[in-house]
Amino acid sequence: MPLDTRPLNSLGLPKPPSETRVVVAMSGGVDSSVVAAMLKEEGYDVVGVTLQLYDHGAALAKKGACCAGIDIHDARRVAESMGFPHYVLDYENIFREAVIDEFADSYLGGATPVPCIRCNERVKFKDLLETAKDLDADCMATGHYIQRKMGESGAELHSAADASRDQSYFLFSTTPEQLDYLRFPLGHLPSKDETRALAAKYGLSVAMKPDSQDICFVPDGNYAAVIEKLRPGAAEPGQIVHVDGRVLGDHEGVIHYTIGQRRGLGIGGLSEPLYVVKLDVEARQVIVGPKEMLATRKVPVREINWLGDEPFTSREEWHLMVKVRSTRPPREAVVRPISETEAEVELVVAEEGVSPGQACVFYAPEGSRIFGGGWIWRGY
């Protein structure tokens, strides 16, 4: 069969924009709204889709939320102003089963989960992506700050041009098949100011809308209150215990603590600063110790999604950069595969507060490419 030699459009497809249907995942924020408006202006056949992920009423009262209440209204207004169809899909049950329930159970298990990654993995880039295909779309575009670049072996995932907006940590589980279909039109922009300038250019009502904050279904960052609502009786009292065995005080539930926490322990009057170094859920104990006990070099990782050109297990070890928390810069590490989906990561320099439930994301030693990552599953 002869190769298609037609010129590629701005989304990398060999057809005119007018013949290219793009489903844009619209959260109601400025980023996805700009993506939809930009593609519409370029002449693409744009279809906006917004997912209602949780209760309207609860979300309306919360500033900085997404995917419910006022945000659905904002997405609809953008679609109307730019003249493209917009649909709202009720994904409340899917979101609860695939994201919220696991978040609650993981937190109760003493982990520090990252539900935004699971939402991208199990809802937006799975069910919504399939919906886009059902709508005969050629691709799906989002407002994420990350880049998709074509390499010798196909589509590659790269960090955003603006490091302060980069969302690669939250998108490491994007599979090669999904990456073939996805597009990220904002990833190359030098700053968020550029995005807002585009929103103003298109006359979008959301041009100065604040960015979403925290986890969308956790009002004011109060994780414990959400867990208690989802799992009544979860906040069972217990003891705060020093690593040497001394009982230092009582607590009102392990769910109120996280690995590495120092403030708010309620055990004042001690000569040394103490940190949460372990959560023993079965014994209902919060175990505290000196800061040096938080440091670890070996990190077990599972559920690995690999985005390298060679098979993950083709080498005994990979010398990469890794992030063990979204707020930290990548650090040098040696990644040793155990299987296609499991590995031991050895950090060249010990990191503090490595916590089960967080992601460990793999980056190229040089350049901006993301090689995937996995989930930290056991503390030390």
Side-chain angles (χ1 to χ4, degrees), residues 11-12 69 90 94 119 128-129 153 198 216 226 243 246 254 266 305 312 341 367:
L11 295 176
D90 184 352
I94 292 172
C119 181
L128 178 54
L129 191 144
S153 299
L198 286 170
C216 63
V226 172
V243 288
R246 288 178 290 152
V254 172
N305 176 57
F312 184 51
T341 58

Coordinates of all heavy atoms in Angstrom, one line a residue, residues 11-12 69 90 94 119 128-129 153 198 216 226 243 246 254 266 305 312 341 367:
L11 N -2.1 18.9 14.1 CA -2.3 17.8 15.1 C -1.6 16.6 14.6 O -1.7 15.5 15.2 CB -3.8 17.5 15.3 CG -4.5 18.7 16.0 CD1 -6.0 18.3 16.1 CD2 -4.0 19.0 17.4
G12 N -0.8 16.7 13.5 CA 0.0 15.6 13.0 C -0.8 14.5 12.2 O -0.4 13.4 12.1
G69 N -20.9 21.4 38.7 CA -21.5 22.7 39.0 C -21.1 23.8 38.0 O -21.4 23.7 36.8
D90 N -22.5 11.9 32.4 CA -22.6 11.6 33.8 C -21.7 10.5 34.2 O -22.0 9.3 33.8 CB -24.0 11.3 34.2 CG -24.2 11.0 35.7 OD1 -23.2 11.0 36.4 OD2 -25.3 10.9 36.2
I94 N -18.8 5.9 37.8 CA -17.5 5.4 37.3 C -16.4 6.1 38.2 O -15.5 5.4 38.6 CB -17.3 5.7 35.8 CG1 -18.3 4.9 35.0 CG2 -15.9 5.5 35.4 CD1 -18.3 5.2 33.5
C119 N -7.5 9.2 38.1 CA -8.6 9.8 37.3 C -8.2 9.9 35.8 O -9.0 9.5 34.9 CB -9.0 11.2 37.8 SG -10.3 12.0 36.9
L128 N -13.4 8.1 28.6 CA -13.7 9.3 27.8 C -13.0 9.1 26.4 O -13.6 9.5 25.4 CB -13.2 10.6 28.5 CG -13.3 11.9 27.7 CD1 -14.7 12.1 27.2 CD2 -12.8 13.1 28.5
L129 N -11.8 8.5 26.4 CA -11.1 8.3 25.2 C -11.9 7.4 24.3 O -12.0 7.6 23.1 CB -9.7 7.7 25.5 CG -8.8 7.7 24.3 CD1 -7.3 8.0 24.8 CD2 -8.8 6.3 23.7
S153 N 10.6 5.7 17.1 CA 9.8 4.5 17.4 C 8.3 4.9 17.6 O 7.5 4.0 17.9 CB 10.3 3.8 18.6 OG 11.6 3.3 18.4
L198 N -4.2 34.0 25.3 CA -5.0 33.4 24.2 C -6.5 33.4 24.6 O -7.4 33.6 23.7 CB -4.6 31.9 23.9 CG -3.2 31.8 23.2 CD1 -2.8 30.3 23.2 CD2 -3.4 32.2 21.7
C216 N -10.1 17.5 43.5 CA -11.4 18.1 43.2 C -12.5 17.8 44.2 O -13.4 18.6 44.5 CB -11.9 17.8 41.8 SG -12.1 16.0 41.5
V226 N -13.1 13.9 54.5 CA -13.7 13.2 53.4 C -13.7 11.7 53.6 O -14.6 10.9 53.4 CB -12.9 13.5 52.1 CG1 -13.4 12.6 50.9 CG2 -13.2 14.9 51.7
V243 N 9.8 5.4 68.0 CA 10.5 4.2 67.4 C 11.2 3.4 68.4 O 11.4 2.2 68.2 CB 11.5 4.6 66.3 CG1 10.7 5.1 65.0 CG2 12.5 5.6 66.7
R246 N 8.5 4.0 73.3 CA 7.8 4.9 74.3 C 6.5 5.4 73.7 O 6.4 5.8 72.6 CB 8.7 6.1 74.6 CG 9.9 5.8 75.5 CD 10.7 7.1 75.7 NE 11.3 7.5 74.4 CZ 11.6 8.8 74.2 NH1 11.2 9.8 75.0 NH2 12.2 9.1 73.1
V254 N -5.5 7.4 62.6 CA -4.3 7.3 61.7 C -4.5 8.2 60.5 O -3.6 8.7 59.9 CB -4.0 5.9 61.4 CG1 -2.9 5.8 60.3 CG2 -3.5 5.1 62.6
G266 N 0.8 17.0 68.4 CA 0.2 17.0 69.8 C 1.1 16.3 70.8 O 0.6 15.8 71.8
N305 N 4.1 1.4 34.1 CA 3.8 1.7 32.7 C 5.1 2.2 32.1 O 5.7 3.2 32.5 CB 2.7 2.8 32.7 CG 2.4 3.2 31.2 OD1 2.1 2.4 30.4 ND2 2.6 4.5 30.9
F312 N 11.1 -3.0 28.8 CA 11.6 -2.7 30.2 C 12.6 -3.7 30.7 O 13.6 -3.4 31.3 CB 10.4 -2.5 31.1 CG 10.8 -2.1 32.5 CD1 11.6 -1.0 32.7 CD2 10.3 -2.8 33.6 CE1 11.9 -0.5 34.0 CE2 10.6 -2.4 34.9 CZ 11.4 -1.2 35.1
T341 N 6.3 -5.2 35.1 CA 5.5 -4.2 35.8 C 6.0 -4.0 37.2 O 5.3 -3.3 38.0 CB 4.0 -4.7 35.9 OG1 4.0 -5.9 36.6 CG2 3.4 -4.8 34.5
G367 N 17.5 15.7 28.7 CA 16.3 16.0 27.9 C 15.1 16.0 28.6 O 15.0 15.9 29.9

